[in-house]
Every structure is written in structure tokens, then in C-alpha cells.
Amino acid sequence: MFATAGGLLRDHNGNWIVGFKRYFENCEVIDSELWGILDGLKIAHDSGFQKVIIRRKNLEVVNLIHEGVREGFNSALVRRILLFLTLFSHWNLQHIPREEN
């Protein structure tokens, strides 16, 4: 299945900083969502940000990461995301319903 991952970074005032996108030829939707988070965290870290708020409309992805925090979820992508999150002084992961996005 063809999928994309992407997102954007905004500053604390909501101003656009950078957008990003990646294409996958064979990838499950859940994995592309996780790759989007990981890519965004890498860009934020490389840009020197110390605090991040991650907002996703996919509740399953949000739950996977939160469960990984609590239970050590056995997914390589989730583990990499959790590792990157330790590099920030503050982070917050939020589910934003599609209607509010």
C-alpha cells in the first residue's frame, strides 16, 4: 500500500517554521504516522528546540506511544520515538479530533 508521512513545525505563537513529507511504496498507515512523528522530532531536535507538542488526529498512534511510555511497547518505531522524546526538556503528545484539526 502506498502511504505518506509528514507534518509541520510551528513556533510557540503558531507560526509556520518548516513542513516535511516522506513517501513510502509499501507501508501500513499506522507505520507512516509513526514515521511522521519520528521525522518531526528529528527536525525539531536538529533545529535546537527543547520543548515539543505533538498533535495527531490518529488516536491509535497516540495510544501506542503512551502505552510505550507506560508498558515498554515492543515496536521499533515507537521505541525510537520514545528515545527521541528523552532528548527534549519537555514534550506533550495530544490527540486532536479530525473536526478540531
Side-chain angles (χ1 to χ4, degrees):
M1 169 187 313
F2 175 77
T4 62
L8 58 98
L9 298 180
R10 297 179 189 222
D11 67 16
H12 62 283
N13 292 318
N15 298 317
W16 183 87
I17 297 172
V18 66
F20 58 93
K21 186 178 279 193
R22 181 196 293 220
Y23 296 94
F24 300 97
E25 287 187 28
N26 189 13
C27 185
E28 296 293 324
V29 172
I30 193 84
D31 290 330
S32 69
E33 290 269 345
L34 291 169
W35 275 111
I37 292 171
L38 183 59
D39 288 346
L41 289 172
K42 287 179 183 178
I43 292 169
H45 181 262
D46 291 346
S47 299
F49 291 97
Q50 292 297 311
K51 299 177 182 179
V52 294
I53 298 173
I54 305 161
R55 294 182 174 149
R56 303 306 290 191
K57 58 187 169 200
N58 187 322
L59 182 58
E60 183 179 5
V61 167
V62 172
N63 287 339
L64 277 175
I65 294 169
H66 281 301
E67 289 170 10
V69 169
R70 291 190 299 267
E71 302 170 14
F73 188 77
N74 190 24
S75 163
L77 279 173
V78 172
R79 285 194 311 269
R80 288 179 70 188
I81 289 168
L82 294 173
L83 180 63
F84 255 93
L85 289 172
T86 65
L87 301 175
F88 296 93
S89 64
H90 174 79
W91 63 271
N92 189 337
L93 174 62
Q94 304 171 350
H95 171 248
I96 305 296
R98 185 177 301 271
E99 310 81 50
E100 296 177 26
N101 190 6

XYZ file of all heavy atoms in Angstrom:
831
model
N 0.836 -1.166 0.000
C 0.000 0.000 0.000
C 0.896 1.250 0.000
O 1.857 1.336 0.733
C -0.899 -0.012 1.243
C -1.609 1.281 1.473
S -2.513 1.399 3.030
C -3.396 -0.110 3.084
N 0.585 2.212 -0.821
C 1.304 3.477 -0.900
C 0.865 4.374 0.254
O -0.305 4.466 0.572
C 0.998 4.153 -2.241
C 1.584 5.512 -2.374
C 2.934 5.671 -2.636
C 0.800 6.638 -2.228
C 3.485 6.935 -2.760
C 1.340 7.908 -2.351
C 2.684 8.049 -2.613
N 1.819 5.020 0.911
C 1.491 5.899 2.034
C 2.462 7.073 2.078
O 3.528 7.033 1.466
C 1.553 5.125 3.345
N 2.068 8.110 2.791
C 2.944 9.258 3.022
C 3.002 9.540 4.516
O 2.110 9.166 5.266
C 2.443 10.529 2.303
O 1.156 10.878 2.819
C 2.358 10.334 0.804
N 4.070 10.193 4.908
C 4.213 10.669 6.282
C 4.660 12.114 6.185
O 5.418 12.476 5.294
C 5.251 9.841 7.033
N 4.173 12.919 7.096
C 4.591 14.305 7.050
C 4.038 15.087 8.217
O 3.373 14.550 9.098
N 4.354 16.344 8.197
C 3.887 17.219 9.246
C 4.463 18.598 9.074
O 5.020 18.927 8.023
N 4.337 19.393 10.110
C 4.914 20.723 10.080
C 5.305 21.121 11.487
O 4.796 20.602 12.468
C 3.951 21.744 9.481
C 2.593 21.905 10.158
C 2.631 23.094 11.090
C 1.544 22.110 9.097
N 6.268 22.017 11.547
C 6.699 22.565 12.824
C 6.241 24.005 12.898
O 6.348 24.751 11.922
C 8.221 22.516 12.964
C 8.873 21.144 12.952
C 10.386 21.285 13.097
C 8.331 20.276 14.054
N 5.734 24.391 14.068
C 5.322 25.772 14.338
C 6.024 26.246 15.595
O 6.351 25.453 16.466
C 3.817 25.864 14.543
C 3.018 25.473 13.342
C 1.541 25.566 13.666
N 0.761 24.987 12.601
C -0.341 25.527 12.135
N -0.814 26.642 12.666
N -0.994 24.957 11.167
N 6.195 27.547 15.707
C 6.779 28.092 16.927
C 5.700 28.250 17.997
O 4.535 27.881 17.783
C 7.528 29.403 16.659
C 6.614 30.545 16.235
O 5.372 30.464 16.411
O 7.146 31.545 15.728
N 6.067 28.807 19.144
C 5.132 28.924 20.263
C 3.967 29.866 19.976
O 2.966 29.854 20.687
C 5.868 29.371 21.527
C 6.512 30.713 21.411
N 7.695 30.909 20.735
C 6.127 31.919 21.854
C 8.009 32.186 20.782
N 7.073 32.829 21.457
N 4.074 30.672 18.920
C 2.969 31.553 18.517
C 2.104 30.940 17.422
O 1.170 31.573 16.947
C 3.521 32.898 18.024
C 4.141 33.699 19.140
O 3.597 33.747 20.234
N 5.279 34.312 18.874
N 2.443 29.737 16.996
C 1.686 29.077 15.941
C 2.152 29.411 14.538
O 1.527 29.006 13.564
N 3.259 30.138 14.416
C 3.789 30.489 13.098
C 4.514 29.302 12.476
O 5.278 28.604 13.145
C 4.761 31.677 13.215
C 4.067 32.909 13.730
O 2.967 33.245 13.321
N 4.715 33.594 14.671
N 4.296 29.112 11.193
C 4.892 28.014 10.450
C 6.407 28.175 10.392
O 6.922 29.252 10.119
C 4.309 28.003 9.029
C 4.783 26.895 8.169
C 4.257 25.644 8.081
C 5.874 26.936 7.245
N 4.944 24.908 7.159
C 5.949 25.678 6.631
C 6.796 27.914 6.883
C 6.901 25.368 5.678
C 7.754 27.606 5.930
C 7.804 26.350 5.337
N 7.137 27.077 10.665
C 8.597 27.071 10.565
C 9.025 26.247 9.355
O 9.724 26.734 8.484
C 9.244 26.510 11.845
C 8.915 27.415 13.028
C 10.751 26.365 11.666
C 9.345 26.845 14.353
N 8.613 24.993 9.313
C 9.007 24.107 8.217
C 7.975 22.989 8.078
O 7.381 22.561 9.061
C 10.429 23.528 8.440
C 10.470 22.606 9.625
C 10.956 22.829 7.196
N 7.780 22.545 6.864
C 6.940 21.392 6.589
C 7.802 20.274 6.031
O 8.880 20.520 5.490
N 7.330 19.048 6.163
C 8.104 17.910 5.652
C 7.156 16.801 5.211
O 6.022 16.708 5.669
C 9.085 17.405 6.716
C 8.425 16.983 8.004
C 8.062 15.663 8.224
C 8.156 17.917 8.994
C 7.451 15.286 9.401
C 7.553 17.548 10.188
C 7.197 16.228 10.389
N 7.653 15.965 4.302
C 6.857 14.858 3.784
C 7.787 13.756 3.320
O 8.882 14.028 2.834
C 5.982 15.311 2.625
C 5.025 14.222 2.131
C 4.154 14.719 1.024
C 3.022 15.495 1.655
N 1.937 15.784 0.729
N 7.345 12.526 3.482
C 8.086 11.359 3.015
C 7.093 10.402 2.363
O 5.980 10.241 2.849
C 8.768 10.675 4.200
C 9.575 9.454 3.795
C 9.916 8.590 4.964
N 10.828 9.215 5.900
C 11.812 8.558 6.496
N 12.000 7.282 6.238
N 12.581 9.160 7.361
N 7.512 9.759 1.277
C 6.670 8.803 0.570
C 7.158 7.383 0.819
O 8.361 7.138 0.853
C 6.687 9.078 -0.933
C 6.089 10.405 -1.296
C 6.896 11.538 -1.452
C 4.725 10.541 -1.482
C 6.349 12.768 -1.772
C 4.166 11.768 -1.803
C 4.988 12.871 -1.947
O 4.433 14.083 -2.260
N 6.221 6.469 0.979
C 6.526 5.053 1.167
C 5.787 4.260 0.102
O 4.598 4.465 -0.124
C 6.053 4.563 2.542
C 6.682 5.280 3.691
C 6.030 6.337 4.304
C 7.916 4.891 4.172
C 6.596 6.997 5.370
C 8.494 5.545 5.238
C 7.840 6.603 5.842
N 6.485 3.333 -0.526
C 5.826 2.496 -1.526
C 5.014 1.384 -0.880
O 3.972 0.998 -1.372
C 6.858 1.903 -2.479
C 7.415 2.926 -3.437
C 8.305 2.304 -4.479
O 8.111 1.123 -4.808
O 9.194 3.017 -4.950
N 5.522 0.841 0.223
C 4.842 -0.280 0.867
C 4.881 -0.072 2.377
O 5.876 -0.392 3.021
C 5.526 -1.595 0.481
C 4.735 -2.795 0.929
O 3.574 -2.682 1.314
N 5.361 -3.950 0.896
N 3.800 0.468 2.919
C 3.807 0.828 4.337
C 2.373 0.871 4.853
O 1.476 1.355 4.172
C 4.470 2.200 4.498
S 4.696 2.729 6.186
N 2.191 0.363 6.067
C 0.892 0.459 6.719
C 0.667 1.898 7.180
O 1.613 2.617 7.500
C 0.825 -0.479 7.917
C 0.933 -1.942 7.561
C -0.261 -2.445 6.769
O -1.392 -1.986 7.039
O -0.056 -3.277 5.874
N -0.579 2.312 7.253
C -0.910 3.675 7.649
C -0.358 3.986 9.035
O 0.216 5.054 9.265
C -2.439 3.904 7.609
C -2.806 5.248 8.201
C -2.941 3.788 6.173
N -0.491 3.069 9.976
C -0.017 3.305 11.338
C 1.485 3.547 11.348
O 1.993 4.419 12.059
C -0.419 2.143 12.286
C -0.210 2.521 13.738
C 0.331 0.885 11.979
C -1.335 3.285 14.314
N 2.225 2.800 10.531
C 3.671 2.987 10.459
C 4.033 4.325 9.832
O 4.976 4.989 10.278
C 4.331 1.849 9.686
C 4.282 0.534 10.447
O 4.287 0.566 11.695
O 4.246 -0.524 9.794
N 3.291 4.749 8.811
C 3.584 6.046 8.198
C 3.315 7.178 9.184
O 4.051 8.168 9.220
C 2.792 6.249 6.897
O 1.418 6.395 7.151
N 2.296 7.031 10.024
C 2.023 8.035 11.060
C 3.188 8.106 12.059
O 3.609 9.187 12.456
C 0.736 7.687 11.816
C -0.517 7.848 10.996
C -1.107 9.236 11.132
O -0.724 9.970 12.062
O -1.949 9.569 10.298
N 3.680 6.942 12.466
C 4.803 6.909 13.403
C 6.063 7.503 12.778
O 6.804 8.238 13.430
C 5.050 5.477 13.881
C 3.958 4.889 14.784
C 4.159 3.388 14.974
C 3.915 5.603 16.126
N 6.302 7.207 11.492
C 7.454 7.795 10.797
C 7.327 9.314 10.749
O 8.314 10.030 10.888
C 7.589 7.235 9.384
C 8.343 5.948 9.322
C 7.844 4.723 9.015
C 9.738 5.762 9.574
N 8.839 3.787 9.073
C 10.013 4.401 9.404
C 10.776 6.612 9.933
C 11.290 3.874 9.578
C 12.047 6.094 10.107
C 12.294 4.737 9.925
N 6.128 9.822 10.558
C 5.920 11.265 10.535
C 6.296 11.906 11.862
O 6.927 12.973 11.899
N 5.926 11.264 12.958
C 6.285 11.777 14.278
C 7.795 11.737 14.460
O 8.413 12.715 14.899
C 5.566 10.985 15.390
C 4.060 11.269 15.342
C 6.147 11.311 16.769
C 3.230 10.379 16.238
N 8.413 10.608 14.106
C 9.856 10.473 14.264
C 10.609 11.506 13.431
O 11.535 12.165 13.921
C 10.302 9.056 13.898
C 11.783 8.747 14.079
C 12.214 8.946 15.526
C 12.082 7.329 13.614
N 10.199 11.683 12.185
C 10.846 12.681 11.322
C 10.709 14.087 11.911
O 11.659 14.867 11.906
C 10.265 12.647 9.911
C 10.679 11.413 9.125
O 11.612 10.706 9.553
O 10.059 11.155 8.074
N 9.526 14.414 12.417
C 9.308 15.722 13.010
C 10.169 15.946 14.246
O 10.719 17.029 14.451
N 10.307 14.898 15.058
C 11.148 15.010 16.248
C 12.611 15.214 15.875
O 13.324 15.993 16.508
C 10.999 13.760 17.135
C 9.662 13.621 17.851
C 9.564 12.264 18.533
C 9.458 14.747 18.853
N 13.060 14.519 14.840
C 14.443 14.693 14.378
C 14.681 16.127 13.914
O 15.691 16.741 14.260
C 14.749 13.731 13.230
C 14.910 12.303 13.650
C 15.187 11.436 12.424
C 15.295 9.987 12.776
N 15.525 9.146 11.588
N 13.759 16.660 13.137
C 13.897 18.033 12.643
C 13.877 19.019 13.806
O 14.691 19.948 13.866
C 12.786 18.358 11.621
C 12.989 17.524 10.347
C 12.771 19.847 11.288
C 11.807 17.563 9.394
N 12.966 18.825 14.751
C 12.883 19.730 15.906
C 14.174 19.679 16.719
O 14.707 20.714 17.120
C 11.682 19.364 16.778
N 14.682 18.499 16.951
C 15.920 18.354 17.722
C 17.097 18.973 16.980
O 17.898 19.716 17.572
C 16.189 16.882 18.025
C 17.422 16.666 18.828
N 18.615 16.318 18.253
C 17.647 16.775 20.158
C 19.527 16.223 19.193
N 18.965 16.490 20.370
N 17.224 18.679 15.700
C 18.320 19.240 14.896
C 18.242 20.761 14.807
O 19.261 21.421 14.615
C 18.329 18.638 13.491
C 18.736 17.174 13.481
O 19.258 16.682 14.510
O 18.518 16.514 12.440
N 17.036 21.310 14.966
C 16.840 22.765 14.918
C 17.061 23.424 16.275
O 16.936 24.638 16.403
C 15.437 23.090 14.413
O 15.253 22.585 13.111
N 17.346 22.618 17.292
C 17.662 23.159 18.605
C 16.487 23.372 19.542
O 16.636 23.983 20.595
N 15.326 22.850 19.196
C 14.171 23.006 20.077
C 14.306 22.101 21.290
O 14.796 20.983 21.201
C 12.871 22.692 19.333
C 12.521 23.699 18.298
C 12.844 23.503 16.975
C 11.882 24.878 18.658
C 12.535 24.450 16.015
C 11.562 25.830 17.711
C 11.898 25.615 16.393
N 13.884 22.596 22.441
C 13.942 21.841 23.691
C 12.564 21.367 24.153
O 12.470 20.477 24.980
C 14.574 22.697 24.791
C 16.037 22.983 24.552
C 16.853 21.699 24.551
O 16.734 20.884 25.450
N 17.653 21.505 23.520
N 11.510 21.977 23.618
C 10.144 21.634 24.006
C 9.334 21.364 22.751
O 9.432 22.097 21.770
C 9.501 22.774 24.793
C 10.234 23.105 26.071
C 9.611 24.291 26.776
C 10.394 24.628 28.015
N 9.827 25.784 28.712
N 8.523 20.302 22.783
C 7.675 19.973 21.638
C 6.288 19.577 22.110
O 6.118 18.983 23.172
C 8.264 18.835 20.756
C 9.538 19.256 20.075
C 8.468 17.566 21.551
N 5.321 19.931 21.307
C 3.952 19.449 21.458
C 3.627 18.726 20.160
O 3.739 19.298 19.080
C 2.953 20.590 21.693
C 3.297 21.329 22.986
C 1.523 20.047 21.733
C 2.465 22.580 23.202
N 3.250 17.472 20.281
C 2.910 16.652 19.116
C 1.399 16.496 19.109
O 0.806 16.046 20.095
C 3.573 15.268 19.201
C 5.080 15.415 19.389
C 3.230 14.431 17.974
C 5.737 14.176 19.933
N 0.780 16.867 18.012
C -0.677 16.756 17.877
C -0.983 15.847 16.699
O -0.538 16.093 15.585
C -1.295 18.128 17.658
C -1.130 19.018 18.853
C -1.777 20.351 18.633
N -1.709 21.128 19.859
C -1.624 22.423 19.895
N -1.603 23.107 18.773
N -1.572 23.046 21.043
N -1.750 14.809 16.957
C -2.107 13.847 15.911
C -3.600 13.578 15.957
O -4.197 13.510 17.028
C -1.362 12.520 16.092
C 0.135 12.617 16.115
C 0.707 13.309 14.928
N 0.592 12.535 13.716
C 1.199 12.844 12.587
N 1.945 13.916 12.518
N 1.056 12.111 11.526
N -4.184 13.371 14.783
C -5.604 13.039 14.739
C -5.840 11.535 14.836
O -6.949 11.096 15.054
C -6.269 13.628 13.497
C -5.664 13.192 12.205
C -6.273 13.967 11.053
C -5.470 13.706 9.801
N -5.675 14.695 8.806
N -4.776 10.736 14.709
C -4.896 9.288 14.793
C -4.745 8.856 16.254
O -3.643 8.795 16.789
C -3.824 8.636 13.909
C -4.000 7.139 13.804
O -4.358 6.479 14.767
N -3.727 6.605 12.634
N -5.862 8.527 16.891
C -5.867 8.151 18.304
C -5.060 6.877 18.548
O -4.395 6.746 19.581
C -7.303 7.982 18.807
C -7.474 7.630 20.281
C -6.834 8.694 21.176
C -8.945 7.459 20.606
N -5.079 5.951 17.607
C -4.328 4.703 17.773
C -2.827 4.977 17.907
O -2.151 4.384 18.743
C -4.588 3.768 16.592
C -3.913 2.429 16.722
C -4.202 1.511 15.554
O -4.851 1.926 14.586
O -3.751 0.349 15.629
N -2.314 5.917 17.124
C -0.895 6.274 17.193
C -0.579 6.908 18.544
O 0.420 6.567 19.184
C -0.522 7.230 16.029
C 0.834 7.860 16.242
C -0.562 6.494 14.716
N -1.419 7.819 18.982
C -1.220 8.468 20.283
C -1.214 7.417 21.386
O -0.341 7.418 22.257
C -2.307 9.540 20.530
C -2.243 10.076 21.947
C -2.178 10.663 19.512
N -2.161 6.487 21.343
C -2.235 5.445 22.365
C -1.015 4.526 22.326
O -0.512 4.121 23.377
C -3.518 4.632 22.216
C -4.736 5.409 22.649
O -4.644 6.372 23.406
N -5.897 5.016 22.148
N -0.531 4.189 21.124
C 0.654 3.334 21.014
C 1.849 3.961 21.709
O 2.594 3.293 22.429
C 1.000 3.075 19.554
C 0.260 1.978 18.831
C 0.644 1.960 17.354
C 0.539 0.633 19.464
N 2.045 5.245 21.504
C 3.185 5.921 22.115
C 2.996 6.038 23.620
O 3.917 5.760 24.388
C 3.425 7.290 21.455
C 3.843 7.076 19.995
C 4.493 8.070 22.218
C 3.863 8.330 19.167
N 1.802 6.400 24.059
C 1.545 6.483 25.501
C 1.686 5.108 26.170
O 2.221 5.007 27.264
C 0.177 7.074 25.786
C 0.127 8.560 25.669
N 0.903 9.397 26.424
C -0.608 9.366 24.864
C 0.664 10.648 26.101
N -0.258 10.663 25.151
N 1.222 4.056 25.518
C 1.383 2.709 26.069
C 2.850 2.328 26.117
O 3.296 1.656 27.050
C 0.598 1.695 25.243
C -0.895 1.813 25.414
C -1.669 0.985 24.414
O -1.059 0.156 23.698
O -2.893 1.173 24.330
N 3.614 2.766 25.123
C 5.051 2.509 25.135
C 5.714 3.166 26.314
O 6.619 2.608 26.924
N 5.250 4.346 26.664
C 5.785 5.059 27.819
C 5.472 4.269 29.086
O 6.295 4.112 29.958
C 5.181 6.486 27.907
C 5.511 7.133 29.238
C 5.677 7.342 26.756
N 4.284 3.720 29.165
C 3.857 3.020 30.378
C 4.297 1.560 30.421
O 4.592 1.023 31.446
C 2.344 3.088 30.503
C 1.835 4.479 30.811
C 0.369 4.466 31.155
N -0.490 3.972 30.109
C -1.088 4.727 29.195
N -0.910 6.028 29.196
N -1.871 4.190 28.281
N 4.291 0.896 29.262
C 4.456 -0.554 29.279
C 5.625 -1.067 28.447
O 5.784 -2.269 28.323
C 3.169 -1.213 28.773
C 1.937 -0.840 29.584
C 0.658 -1.312 28.931
O 0.725 -2.144 28.009
O -0.405 -0.846 29.343
N 6.416 -0.218 27.856
C 7.538 -0.681 27.047
C 7.094 -1.400 25.787
O 7.555 -2.489 25.482
N 6.182 -0.804 25.035
C 5.630 -1.391 23.816
C 6.734 -1.900 22.898
O 7.760 -1.266 22.742
C 4.771 -0.349 23.095
C 4.010 -0.895 21.932
C 2.867 -1.636 22.136
C 4.448 -0.689 20.644
C 2.156 -2.143 21.070
C 3.752 -1.195 19.569
C 2.605 -1.927 19.791
N 6.528 -3.039 22.289
C 7.562 -3.709 21.508
C 7.481 -3.349 20.025
O 7.248 -4.183 19.173
C 7.453 -5.222 21.702
C 8.639 -5.943 21.110
O 9.701 -5.359 20.957
N 8.444 -7.200 20.786
N 7.686 -2.106 19.702
C 7.725 -1.661 18.315
C 8.979 -0.826 18.132
O 9.241 0.097 18.910
C 6.496 -0.819 17.980
O 6.715 -0.082 16.792
N 9.750 -1.132 17.097
C 10.995 -0.402 16.855
C 10.732 1.085 16.646
O 11.463 1.933 17.167
C 11.729 -0.999 15.662
N 9.697 1.428 15.881
C 9.392 2.841 15.653
C 8.971 3.544 16.937
O 9.405 4.659 17.207
C 8.288 2.991 14.603
C 8.713 2.881 13.156
C 7.486 2.873 12.236
C 9.635 4.008 12.786
N 8.149 2.903 17.729
C 7.718 3.511 18.992
C 8.920 3.678 19.912
O 9.084 4.727 20.543
C 6.606 2.679 19.673
C 6.303 3.195 21.073
C 5.341 2.689 18.827
N 9.789 2.678 19.978
C 10.991 2.787 20.820
C 11.885 3.935 20.354
O 12.433 4.676 21.175
C 11.766 1.475 20.828
C 11.111 0.405 21.686
C 12.030 -0.768 21.956
N 12.683 -1.312 20.786
C 12.216 -2.297 20.025
N 11.060 -2.858 20.329
N 12.878 -2.739 18.992
N 12.031 4.111 19.039
C 12.847 5.219 18.524
C 12.218 6.566 18.860
O 12.910 7.516 19.208
C 13.043 5.070 17.011
C 13.998 3.933 16.672
C 14.187 3.758 15.207
N 14.940 4.884 14.658
C 15.120 5.077 13.364
N 14.617 4.224 12.487
N 15.811 6.107 12.929
N 10.898 6.654 18.759
C 10.199 7.894 19.132
C 10.416 8.187 20.612
O 10.744 9.310 20.994
C 8.697 7.791 18.789
C 8.504 7.830 17.266
C 7.899 8.900 19.480
C 7.119 7.443 16.803
N 10.255 7.178 21.453
C 10.438 7.363 22.890
C 11.869 7.782 23.212
O 12.094 8.624 24.087
C 10.062 6.088 23.643
C 8.579 5.704 23.574
C 8.355 4.339 24.206
C 7.719 6.761 24.223
N 12.830 7.229 22.495
C 14.223 7.621 22.694
C 14.429 9.087 22.327
O 15.066 9.836 23.059
C 15.145 6.726 21.866
C 16.632 7.026 21.970
C 17.124 6.815 23.395
C 17.413 6.163 20.999
N 13.872 9.512 21.197
C 13.994 10.907 20.789
C 13.313 11.841 21.788
O 13.808 12.931 22.060
C 13.420 11.132 19.381
C 14.484 11.310 18.356
C 14.938 10.224 17.640
C 15.054 12.553 18.118
C 15.941 10.365 16.696
C 16.053 12.706 17.184
C 16.504 11.613 16.467
N 12.191 11.421 22.345
C 11.487 12.270 23.307
C 12.332 12.554 24.547
O 12.205 13.614 25.154
C 10.149 11.639 23.700
C 9.076 11.661 22.612
C 7.866 10.834 23.039
C 8.669 13.082 22.260
N 13.230 11.642 24.902
C 14.094 11.871 26.063
C 15.094 12.993 25.816
O 15.679 13.514 26.768
C 14.866 10.598 26.472
O 15.780 10.240 25.427
C 13.915 9.449 26.765
N 15.298 13.377 24.560
C 16.241 14.440 24.218
C 15.661 15.834 24.452
O 16.389 16.815 24.385
C 16.690 14.305 22.762
C 17.369 12.987 22.389
C 17.641 12.940 20.893
C 18.638 12.779 23.195
N 14.360 15.918 24.702
C 13.693 17.199 24.910
C 13.475 17.442 26.396
O 13.217 16.505 27.158
C 12.352 17.232 24.164
C 12.501 17.152 22.676
C 12.460 15.932 22.014
C 12.714 18.301 21.923
C 12.608 15.854 20.639
C 12.870 18.232 20.555
C 12.822 17.015 19.908
N 13.544 18.705 26.806
C 13.312 19.021 28.213
C 11.835 18.896 28.577
O 11.487 18.670 29.730
C 13.811 20.432 28.539
O 13.069 21.402 27.818
N 10.961 19.051 27.587
C 9.517 18.928 27.809
C 8.872 18.453 26.511
O 9.228 18.916 25.432
C 8.904 20.269 28.215
C 7.410 20.237 28.317
N 6.760 19.703 29.410
C 6.454 20.620 27.454
C 5.455 19.782 29.207
N 5.239 20.343 28.035
N 7.930 17.531 26.635
C 7.153 17.113 25.473
C 5.738 16.766 25.910
O 5.499 16.427 27.059
C 7.803 15.942 24.729
C 7.924 14.676 25.532
C 8.974 14.326 26.331
C 6.978 13.599 25.605
N 8.733 13.106 26.906
C 7.524 12.627 26.476
C 5.736 13.371 25.027
C 6.852 11.448 26.771
C 5.072 12.193 25.322
C 5.635 11.249 26.180
N 4.827 16.892 24.951
C 3.423 16.603 25.193
C 2.864 16.010 23.914
O 3.081 16.545 22.828
C 2.685 17.890 25.567
C 1.278 17.647 26.032
O 0.670 16.637 25.715
N 0.755 18.594 26.785
N 2.163 14.906 24.031
C 1.543 14.235 22.894
C 0.039 14.303 23.075
O -0.493 13.840 24.083
C 2.012 12.779 22.819
C 1.372 11.889 21.775
C 1.655 12.400 20.364
C 1.878 10.468 21.927
N -0.653 14.897 22.088
C -2.092 15.122 22.198
C -2.837 14.534 21.015
O -2.359 14.602 19.881
C -2.390 16.621 22.233
C -1.699 17.383 23.309
C -1.869 18.886 23.138
O -2.355 19.375 22.131
N -1.448 19.629 24.154
N -4.009 13.998 21.298
C -4.921 13.589 20.226
C -5.825 14.777 19.915
O -6.430 15.364 20.812
C -5.781 12.398 20.664
C -6.862 12.084 19.684
N -8.192 12.274 19.961
C -6.803 11.607 18.424
C -8.908 11.922 18.907
N -8.088 11.521 17.965
N -5.863 15.158 18.654
C -6.727 16.237 18.198
C -7.746 15.611 17.231
O -7.372 15.155 16.158
C -5.921 17.346 17.455
C -4.795 17.869 18.332
C -6.842 18.443 16.974
C -5.254 18.561 19.590
N -9.018 15.569 17.612
C -10.031 15.003 16.706
C -10.021 15.715 15.353
O -9.716 16.911 15.254
C -11.351 15.251 17.446
C -10.960 15.387 18.876
C -9.593 16.019 18.861
N -10.333 14.972 14.315
C -10.296 15.488 12.941
C -11.075 16.803 12.805
O -10.667 17.703 12.116
C -10.855 14.440 11.989
C -10.749 14.803 10.534
C -11.251 13.695 9.622
N -10.529 12.465 9.802
C -9.427 12.143 9.151
N -8.919 12.963 8.280
N -8.826 10.993 9.340
N -12.203 16.907 13.503
C -13.034 18.113 13.399
C -12.346 19.344 13.943
O -12.650 20.468 13.544
C -14.356 17.936 14.175
C -15.130 16.684 13.904
C -14.582 15.478 14.674
O -14.368 15.533 15.889
O -14.363 14.442 14.010
N -11.408 19.173 14.878
C -10.725 20.306 15.510
C -9.388 20.626 14.855
O -8.754 21.608 15.203
C -10.498 20.015 16.989
C -11.775 19.884 17.767
C -11.534 19.528 19.222
O -10.444 19.847 19.733
O -12.426 18.930 19.822
N -8.940 19.776 13.939
C -7.623 19.948 13.320
C -7.667 21.001 12.231
O -8.441 21.024 11.370
C -7.132 18.612 12.762
C -5.694 18.679 12.325
O -5.009 19.671 12.517
N -5.249 17.611 11.724
